[in-house]
Amino acid sequence: MVKLNGEQRELSGKSVDELLNENGYDPKRVAVELNLEIVPKSQYSTTVLKDGDSVEVVSFVGGG
Amino acid sequence: MENNDKLVIGGHEFNSRFILGSGKYSLSLIKAAVENAGAEIITLAVRRANTKEHENILDHIPEGVTLLPNTSGARNAEEAVRIARLARELGCGDFVKIEIMRDTKYLLPDNAETIKATEILANEGFIVMPYMYPDLNTARDLVNAGAASVMPLASPIGSNKGLATRDFIQILIDEIDLPIIVDAGIGRPSQACEAMEMGAAAVMSNTALATAGDLPMMADAFRKAIEAGRQAYLSGLGRVLVRGASPSDTLTGFLRD
């Protein structure tokens, strides 16, 4: 199991690229953190998720 | 306004001294707000992403406007640093407004953690604009930590209560050799104008607009007030008499002895 934005999901073995595409995220508009480290966009296809990983996918929203 | 009067933050020049927030109002109003405000900097927050069928705020911000992500939600320096790095990875520049709060009732910034985060992020090449409680010692520490500006609060965030900390902001303006940008609590154009008359480099406002009856019209009112206050500051305010009066007309030449 992989934690995606706080939710346990069956994502082990998938790349970050696959995670974003299969879950409807726009890769150009998000940033990804894997176990507290930023994943550079250039590494989305080569970074593969494994059991116990924690992923945050974030984007900009309105704020002050 | 003379166009040689620039606001300079981290080596970047701006003509506008009105930093606009983008929270708590419809994305469809952002363009009109930016245009009426004449804003060249807009703040944003970073949150867990929506999927792409949701609108993205970046599609509503006019081209050429500098994005200033904040670290709202951070409770300590470590979390602020994490959010700032994610914001930079979103690919919109090196600016960051540090906002760290431990207190959830008054939303007051944690000055000590803010100094720590400023130092880390300035060392990583960020243009760091820390939001802080107006305290001279903290402001000096922020300068030493590499801040590009200092952003003292006027009153609690979202309160629209105006310059409750007026005298302490004045101390920062007088003593700190960085742009002092009054952030949080400015509720009316007159209060923004007063901050600018005091010598603030800029004013940041969000809730005053988001809770106004007509947001674009209020953005216009704030722009005028901030420009007026800046001009008044540059022109040099007239003096105040402690006692007595001073006639505005000459007292000689009356039609009597």
Side-chain angles (χ1 to χ4, degrees):
Chain A
M1 295 290 267
V2 170
K3 207 199 262 182
L4 170 62
N5 284 356
E7 237 178 84
Q8 293 291 344
R9 301 278 301 274
E10 287 290 354
L11 295 166
S12 308
K14 292 199 183 290
S15 69
V16 170
D17 234 0
E18 288 168 326
L19 172 150
L20 295 178
N21 287 322
E22 291 171 18
N23 289 279
Y25 294 114
D26 180 350
K28 294 189 298 295
R29 289 291 167 81
V30 299
V32 179
E33 193 191 66
L34 171 58
N35 302 330
L36 305 181
E37 296 287 331
I38 303 262
V39 183
K41 288 196 193 311
S42 58
Q43 291 172 24
Y44 282 0
S45 56
T46 53
T47 303
V48 177
L49 304 173
K50 56 182 188 326
D51 245 14
D53 278 349
S54 179
V55 184
E56 292 286 339
V57 180
V58 303
S59 63
F60 283 131
V61 297
Chain B
M1 189 66 55
E2 291 170 42
N3 60 4
N4 59 4
D5 178 36
K6 307 279 189 195
L7 169 64
V8 182
I9 304 171
H12 295 254
E13 289 190 347
F14 302 93
N15 292 305
S16 165
R17 292 174 180 273
F18 184 10
I19 299 178
L20 187 68
S22 65
K24 299 189 291 191
Y25 60 91
S26 162
L27 296 182
S28 64
L29 284 172
I30 286 180
K31 188 167 175 285
V34 169
E35 286 173 358
N36 285 13
E40 294 172 323
I41 303 176
I42 191 166
T43 59
L44 299 166
V46 176
R47 289 290 179 275
R48 282 173 170 167
N50 281 318
T51 48
K52 55 188 158 194
E53 59 268 21
H54 291 84
E55 282 196 284
N56 190 289
I57 192 167
L58 296 180
D59 295 325
H60 292 265
I61 298 174
E63 200 122 328
V65 175
T66 296
L67 303 181
L68 175 57
N70 68 34
T71 65
S72 68
R75 291 159 296 185
N76 52 46
E78 193 185 341
E79 289 179 357
V81 167
R82 240 179 107 189
I83 295 169
R85 288 173 181 157
L86 282 165
R88 181 153 71 176
E89 188 62 21
L90 284 163
C92 300
D94 294 327
F95 283 83
V96 65
K97 173 184 156 186
I98 299 184
E99 198 176 317
I100 301 175
M101 289 153 199
R102 273 194 298 192
D103 159 67
T104 55
K105 183 172 181 187
Y106 300 103
L107 302 173
L108 294 173
D110 185 323
N111 281 354
E113 290 293 307
T114 300
I115 296 164
K116 281 190 222 165
T118 297
E119 183 158 22
I120 294 167
L121 292 170
N123 284 334
E124 292 182 16
F126 283 88
I127 297 166
V128 184
M129 300 173 66
Y131 168 62
M132 52 93 77
Y133 193 87
D135 169 71
L136 179 58
N137 296 312
T138 301
R140 287 183 170 145
D141 289 345
L142 290 170
V143 173
N144 293 334
S149 72
V150 175
M151 302 181 81
L153 64 87
S155 50
I157 284 187
S159 69
N160 283 353
K161 284 169 94 171
L163 286 162
T165 58
R166 186 188 196 286
D167 292 354
F168 300 94
I169 289 177
Q170 188 69 66
I171 292 172
L172 301 190
I173 291 169
D174 293 345
E175 300 299 328
I176 298 297
D177 195 21
L178 280 179
I180 302 299
I181 300 173
V182 178
D183 187 358
I186 294 292
R188 301 176 182 205
S190 57
Q191 296 158 356
C193 185
E194 185 179 358
M196 296 305 294
E197 287 172 356
M198 288 163 55
V203 166
M204 146 99 216
S205 178
N206 191 146
T207 302
L209 302 185
T211 60
D214 184 324
L215 190 156
M217 195 187 287
M218 187 59 89
D220 194 41
F222 262 85
R223 176 181 56 76
K224 289 171 178 160
I226 288 165
E227 286 176 2
R230 180 64 183 173
Q231 274 187 316
Y233 170 74
L234 292 176
S235 71
L237 293 170
R239 90 283 186 269
V240 175
L241 290 181
V242 176
R243 285 195 178 81
S246 170
S248 305
D249 313 296
T250 171
L251 289 180
T252 58
F254 280 117
L255 302 176
R256 58 175 141 91
D257 305 333

